[in-house]
């Protein structure tokens, strides 16, 4: 969280929690006590949601309590680490182009060392495509969204109604509204934020997170939105298993080649095996190019974050285990269709102890367990990992050689 900023204009901060039993409530009280004379900040207890997801309910309550003269509203997840100039940069873009409907940013995931954290990193990487479209994009990251406050005051394009009346996902709902009304979504180059993942992010927590992400495609606001979600569902499942299938075939060809060689035969005697090994070699080259591209993109984002937050300890690529990145790509693409089909047939999801049921793309029923649910969200309880004093331009070849020696138990370094 950031309640100090280089932005020189008027600011107010609303920290919205479900209840005073929220673990963040008392921590926020202590934080605001330290800054009570420096910032305009308050804690708002939103209460339980009844018609939409708890996150959307909290957001709408926060909007209702904002100052009557507020021009813009910025939604941030509790784990977003802003740069000192982020609020000013986002506001300047909104002032420069009043046609902007929503401004968004994207996370730079910092894996903690577990396979689950690398799966999250791999899953979020496509978000960076927003930087390749000149700032204009068609999808959002719900962790950072800036909008015009009057859009909520006037319920423009039924923004409030669509979110409040059965809304499950804030970013998908707003993206659908923007698409239906041909409104502009942008992402400035400076809107990339360090996103340290939980130090104890287990594989089961990753699976729960993936389930929530695929469940998003089951919610919709209009018929066109439903068609788009079905197209995303189908294409993502096809491409995911299409990504994994060549590696399964490569394993078969390699196993066959090893078997033939162990029997004393020449590989040249079996044309099919020889061609299979050639294809496996091509796949290895393509994999290397893909990992090299991910490494380069991550390197650029790390450098950008270091330039935007020069006062902070520098981030580094040294803690990234590129062998685990490759494994995470296979695991994530294999599991995505399974999660998507399960979401489609169940039409319900458990989110931090709250089970949401969908009907016709809207939340129709909310069940709360007697337990309070997990203390942290799926990606919460974060610590930042990375080597001190290592320059972010570290070579991928050096990184791989180091990671190969750390394959069984990669070390963690505190920043």
């Amino acid at each position: 969280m950031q309640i100090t900023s280089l932005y020189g204009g008027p600011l107010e901060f609303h920290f919205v929690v479900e209840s005073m039993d929220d673990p963040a409530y008392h921590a926020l009280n202590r934080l605001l006590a330290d800054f009570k004379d420096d910032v305009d900040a308050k804690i708002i207890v939103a209460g339980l949601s009844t018609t939409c997801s708890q996150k959307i309910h909290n957001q709408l309550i926060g909007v209702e309590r904002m100052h009557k003269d507020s021009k813009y509203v910025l939604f941030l997840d509790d784990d977003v680490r802003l740069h000192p100039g982020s609020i000013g940069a986002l506001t300047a873009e909104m002032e420069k182009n009043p046609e902007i409907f929503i401004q968004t940013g994207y996370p730079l995931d910092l894996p903690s060392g577990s396979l689950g954290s690398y799966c999250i990193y791999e899953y979020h990487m496509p978000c960076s495509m927003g930087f390749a479209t000149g700032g204009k994009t068609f999808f959002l990251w719900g962790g950072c969204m800036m909008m015009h406050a009057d859009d909520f005051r006037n319920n423009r394009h039924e923004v409030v109604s669509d979110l409040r009346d059965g809304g499950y996902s804030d970013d998908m709902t707003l993206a659908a509204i923007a698409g239906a009304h041909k409104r502009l979504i942008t992402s400035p180059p400076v809107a990339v934020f360090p996103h340290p993942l939980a130090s104890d992010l287990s594989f089961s927590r990753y699976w729960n997170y993936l389930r929530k992400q695929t469940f998003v495609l089951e919610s919709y606001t209009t018929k066109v939105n439903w068609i788009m979600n079905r197209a995303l569902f189908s294409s993502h499942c096809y491409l995911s298993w299409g990504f994994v299938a060549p590696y399964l075939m490569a394993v078969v060809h390699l196993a066959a080649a090893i078997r033939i060689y162990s029997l004393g035969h020449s590989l040249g005697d079996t044309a099919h095996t020889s061609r299979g090994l050639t294809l496996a070699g091509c796949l290895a080259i393509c994999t290397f190019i893909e990992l090299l591209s991910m490494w380069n993109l991550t390197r650029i984002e790390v450098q950008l974050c270091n330039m935007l937050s020069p006062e902070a300890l520098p981030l580094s690529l040294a803690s990234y285990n590129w062998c685990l990145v490759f494994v995470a790509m296979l695991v994530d693409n294999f599991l995505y269709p399974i999660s998507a089909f399960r979401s489609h047939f169940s039409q319900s999801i458990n989110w931090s102890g709250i089970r949401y049921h969908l009907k016709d793309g809207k939340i129709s029923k909310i069940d709360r367990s007697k337990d309070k649910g997990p203390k942290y969200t799926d990606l919460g309880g974060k610590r930042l990992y990375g080597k001190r004093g290592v320059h972010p331009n570290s070579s991928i070849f050096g990184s791989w050689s180091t990671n190969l020696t750390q394959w069984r138990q990669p070390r963690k370094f505190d920043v």
Side-chain angles (χ1 to χ4, degrees):
M1 296 177 293
Q2 177 178 314
I3 59 175
T4 57
S5 172
L6 294 179
Y7 179 66
L11 277 173
E12 62 173 343
F13 297 89
H14 289 175
F15 298 98
V16 188
V17 297
E18 175 188 300
S19 69
M20 287 187 289
D21 293 330
D22 192 309
Y25 180 79
H26 298 291
L28 286 170
N29 269 323
R30 293 192 295 270
L31 175 69
L32 298 190
D34 294 335
F35 289 88
K36 61 182 178 181
D37 297 326
D38 302 315
V39 297
D40 179 8
K42 64 185 70 172
I43 304 173
I44 298 174
V45 179
L48 301 179
S49 64
T50 57
T51 62
C52 59
S53 69
Q54 188 65 46
K55 179 182 179 181
I56 290 177
H57 176 71
N58 290 1
Q59 290 172 324
L60 294 179
I61 293 295
V63 167
E64 287 180 5
R65 305 283 183 88
M66 68 182 173
H67 194 278
K68 60 182 179 63
D69 295 326
S70 294
K71 189 173 182 180
Y72 304 113
V73 56
L74 175 61
F75 298 106
L76 294 171
D77 282 354
D78 63 348
D79 51 13
V80 174
R81 286 181 49 193
L82 293 180
H83 306 290
S86 294
I87 296 178
L90 292 170
T91 304
E93 290 293 325
M94 298 289 280
E95 289 288 306
K96 186 191 307 182
N97 185 1
E99 296 301 315
I100 294 176
F101 180 53
I102 306 173
Q103 247 192 132
T104 189
Y106 299 111
L108 168 59
D109 285 328
L110 304 167
S112 60
S114 66
L115 178 58
S117 68
Y118 278 96
C119 288
I120 298 293
Y121 161 77
E122 189 276 333
Y123 181 84
H124 282 160
M125 278 301 290
C127 290
S128 300
M129 290 190 299
F131 295 112
T133 57
K136 295 182 180 180
T137 183
F138 59 90
F139 55 88
L140 299 166
W141 178 47
C144 174
M145 302 183 297
M146 177 175 276
M147 300 179 65
H148 294 272
D150 281 343
D151 288 345
F152 287 90
R153 293 191 183 101
N154 303 322
N155 195 21
R156 188 168 296 151
H157 307 315
E158 298 184 335
V159 167
V160 175
S161 301
D162 284 343
L163 288 171
R164 181 190 60 213
D165 301 333
Y168 167 73
S169 169
D170 54 337
D171 46 12
M172 290 291 285
T173 300
L174 291 171
I177 293 172
H181 297 276
K182 295 180 171 55
R183 297 299 306 274
L184 180 62
I185 302 174
T186 66
S187 175
V190 295
V192 55
F193 308 108
H195 191 231
L197 298 173
S199 56
D200 59 345
L201 204 160
S202 62
F203 193 79
S204 61
R205 292 176 69 185
Y206 153 70
W207 171 251
N208 192 35
Y209 176 79
L210 182 63
R211 284 275 291 114
K212 291 193 295 187
Q213 296 303 302
T214 56
F215 189 72
V216 165
L217 296 179
E218 300 304 314
S219 64
Y220 55 89
T221 56
T222 64
K223 186 69 174 179
V224 173
N225 188 207
W226 177 83
I227 294 173
M228 289 292 294
N229 284 1
R230 293 278 68 78
L232 284 171
F233 176 95
S234 303
S235 59
H236 206 320
C237 290
Y238 173 78
L239 293 173
S240 290
W241 275 351
F243 176 85
V244 175
Y247 291 97
L248 297 177
M249 294 303 300
V251 170
V252 172
H253 286 301
L254 288 174
I258 294 173
R259 175 65 174 169
I260 291 171
Y261 182 79
S262 65
L263 294 175
H265 299 293
S266 171
L267 295 179
D269 297 338
T270 55
H272 293 295
T273 302
S274 179
R275 285 196 295 268
L277 290 178
T278 301
L279 292 175
C282 293
L283 179 62
I285 294 173
C286 292
T287 301
F288 175 79
I289 294 173
E290 181 178 18
L291 288 173
L292 184 65
S293 300
M294 293 179 67
W295 170 84
N296 190 51
L297 177 58
T298 305
R299 178 184 63 85
I300 292 172
E301 292 185 0
V302 164
Q303 288 180 331
L304 179 59
C305 287
N306 287 336
M307 288 188 292
L308 293 172
S309 293
E311 82 294 343
L313 289 172
L315 305 178
S316 171
L317 279 176
S319 62
Y320 284 77
N321 186 322
W322 295 98
C323 294
L324 279 180
V325 170
F326 170 67
V327 174
M329 287 193 298
L330 294 178
V331 171
D332 193 56
N333 282 283
F334 176 75
L335 291 179
Y336 185 93
I338 298 174
S339 177
F341 279 106
R342 182 174 176 182
S343 297
H344 177 70
F345 289 107
S346 69
Q347 290 294 297
S348 68
I349 189 70
N350 187 307
W351 189 346
S352 298
I354 306 173
R355 180 163 292 278
Y356 298 103
H357 302 266
L358 292 185
K359 183 178 181 181
D360 297 328
K362 301 281 189 179
I363 290 178
S364 60
K365 183 182 177 183
I366 301 176
D367 293 329
R368 286 181 168 83
S369 61
K370 294 181 180 179
D371 299 329
K372 294 181 180 179
K375 185 175 181 181
Y376 300 109
T377 59
D378 286 325
L379 306 184
K382 300 173 179 56
R383 290 178 59 193
L384 186 59
Y385 291 92
K387 284 185 178 178
R388 293 182 185 269
V390 181
H391 197 275
N393 281 332
S394 300
S395 168
I396 189 174
F397 303 104
S399 174
W400 277 359
S401 64
T402 301
N403 287 329
L404 284 174
T405 64
Q406 300 174 342
W407 170 254
R408 291 187 178 275
Q409 188 175 357
R411 292 176 61 192
K412 302 182 180 72
F413 301 85
D414 290 339
V415 168

